[in-house]
Amino acid sequence: MNKLTIKNIGVGLFFVLALQSCKLTQDYARPELNMPTAFEDSLVTNDSSVVEIPSYQQFFKDEKLIGIINQVMVNNPDLIIATEHILANEALLKSVKLNYLPDINLQMNASVQRLSKNSMMGSLASNTVMQEYNFSSSVSWDVDFWGKLKMQREEALSNYLSQAENRRALRVQLIAQTAQAYYNLLSLDEQLRITQSVEKSMQETLSLLKVQYAVGDVTSIAIKQSEAQLAETRALIPEINASIKAQENALQILAGSYPAAVDRKNSLREVAFSSMLNVGIPTDLLKNRPDVKQQELLLQAASTRVGIVKTAFYPSLTITGQGGLNTIKASNWFSIPASLFGTAAAGLTQPIFNKRNIKSNYEQALHLREASVHQFRKSVLMAVEEVSTSLNAIDNIKIQIKELKNRKLVMDKAIADAQILYKYGEANYLEVLTVQQSYFQTELAESLASQKEINAYIALYKSLGGN
């Protein structure tokens, strides 16, 4: 190789290295979101530094619920599947991280060819049997002209991290789903207890009416009405039991177990949470919500993809080389240095015409990036909406529970008075039946309101990003 050729190659490599410093795309910048400055609700704190959400072990007070959630975190099939997807992406990421290195291959070939004596080559050759033995290594290196390989690594990392956030979002969803199912189960237990208590009271009323009917104080209509009301109440018991079993089975499925009974507390009225939630400014959601972080990572990947596709408009340089041992006789295969050979080549490729494929791919990447921008903004909108809705629900449920407690106090006294008045003939059976029905409805309404309040706090925990 003469000095002029070496000089030309050196100039070419200097030109290539200079081009590597060029950037085809700008650094990622988060789109303008125009988020509100604050939430206008009672749980909002004035401390703008509230960004940490307690873990479920710290947030929930019920140890049995925490135990069930622990099982879900280990055995839930969807969570296991998501973990495997992350590991698969991690394997791909390890490969992409090394894409700047050359490809090196080692090969060994042996071939024998017999030419036909009647062929043109066979008639000219002195030996119609031709042999070739080759042992060589080859190197191929794509020179990163425009930072394409670096952008591919950045894209792969963003996609990998988005998968991790997707798993975290699934984890938070499962925590909320498990907690809601657990407290729904406690609510059903409470409804069953209330129904059985009211059934007992109605049975006592019916027994008293039968005694009065025997002495002619009431008519058979009173007996029939009381029996109908009692039957209606009793019909609710198997329905509630079926709902309890279905909820237990659903909880076991979440924990990756077959249907079975669920060990749980005996009362819905115990304190459900060990710590309260303080809601900071709306921008805290960008730090806590895994779905928002996932969409931003996907946006970063889409932005990087634009740069990767754009590099196809520009020249690419590939350097290849091969060297090893080559001979036409097996006996001389490893005869060194006679059998040594080597080749080196460099190719510069500039696309000219390719049926508009490059331009179409670039336009597609631009539109997909814009779609990712809007998807990110949508995720932020939904996050703010969910927090605001949960806060509003909690405020209104508290008002509802306060009124239901006042109503229950009145109904507790009313049912006690009605039974006494009826026993002494100061009230008729219709008044007693009406009071019993109202008392039953009040008890159920209070139980359902308590369940709603707990579920609203769980929904707020989830909407803040959980942990």
Side-chain angles (χ1 to χ4, degrees), residues 68-138:
I68 295 173
I69 296 177
N70 288 337
Q71 293 179 17
V72 172
M73 295 298 100
V74 174
N75 301 321
N76 182 263
D78 292 329
L79 205 54
I80 294 173
I81 293 169
T83 301
E84 292 300 324
H85 282 301
I86 290 176
L87 294 175
N89 275 275
E90 184 178 350
L92 177 62
L93 180 62
K94 290 177 181 178
S95 173
V96 176
K97 280 183 175 180
L98 300 178
N99 63 355
Y100 62 91
L101 297 177
D103 292 327
I104 302 176
N105 298 295
L106 188 66
Q107 60 183 14
M108 179 183 291
N109 300 319
S111 64
V112 178
Q113 182 181 12
R114 184 186 185 281
L115 300 176
S116 170
K117 291 183 179 181
N118 296 325
S119 67
M120 181 180 295
M121 293 298 295
S123 63
L124 297 175
S126 60
N127 187 1
T128 57
V129 178
M130 303 179 68
Q131 303 177 53
E132 184 176 22
Y133 301 90
N134 185 70
F135 178 79
S136 64
S137 62
S138 61

Side-chain angles (χ1 to χ4, degrees), residues 47-66:
D47 183 5
S48 61
S49 65
V50 177
V51 295
E52 292 296 330
I53 305 299
S55 66
Y56 67 85
Q57 294 96 335
Q58 297 171 326
F59 181 59
F60 296 107
K61 188 175 182 180
D62 193 329
E63 292 296 330
K64 293 184 177 180
L65 169 60
I66 293 173

Side-chain angles (χ1 to χ4, degrees), residues 250-322:
L251 263 174
Q252 294 290 7
I253 293 298
L254 284 174
S257 303
Y258 290 105
V262 174
D263 185 25
R264 56 191 183 272
K265 291 276 189 177
N266 295 323
S267 175
L268 180 69
R269 303 182 187 277
E270 295 183 22
V271 177
F273 310 108
S274 295
S275 60
M276 297 305 294
L277 295 173
N278 291 323
V279 181
I281 58 177
T283 51
D284 292 345
L285 296 174
L286 300 180
K287 304 173 185 177
N288 295 325
R289 291 267 301 212
D291 56 336
V292 174
K293 294 175 69 175
Q294 180 193 16
Q295 291 303 324
E296 185 167 15
L297 286 165
L298 291 175
L299 172 57
Q300 292 176 9
S303 299
T304 307
R305 171 53 50 180
V306 172
I308 294 172
V309 173
K310 193 174 181 180
T311 60
F313 286 106
Y314 301 94
S316 60
L317 175 66
T318 303
I319 298 175
T320 59
Q322 186 177 23

Side-chain angles (χ1 to χ4, degrees), residues 152-214:
Q152 286 176 343
R153 296 194 293 272
E154 291 174 354
E155 179 189 30
L157 178 60
S158 294
N159 285 327
Y160 169 75
L161 293 176
S162 73
Q163 284 290 327
E165 291 299 329
N166 180 60
R167 182 187 180 279
R168 195 165 76 86
L170 176 60
R171 185 176 179 275
V172 173
Q173 178 181 343
L174 287 171
I175 291 171
Q177 191 175 349
T178 302
Q180 287 179 342
Y182 179 84
Y183 284 109
N184 288 347
L185 186 57
L186 293 189
S187 176
L188 288 170
D189 289 342
E190 183 73 6
Q191 291 175 40
L192 181 62
R193 184 194 65 76
I194 293 169
T195 304
Q196 290 173 336
S197 174
V198 171
E199 177 205 14
K200 181 180 178 181
S201 176
M202 288 181 175
Q203 179 62 57
E204 292 173 352
T205 300
L206 177 60
S207 299
L208 181 59
L209 286 173
K210 286 181 177 179
V211 171
Q212 292 181 327
Y213 175 73

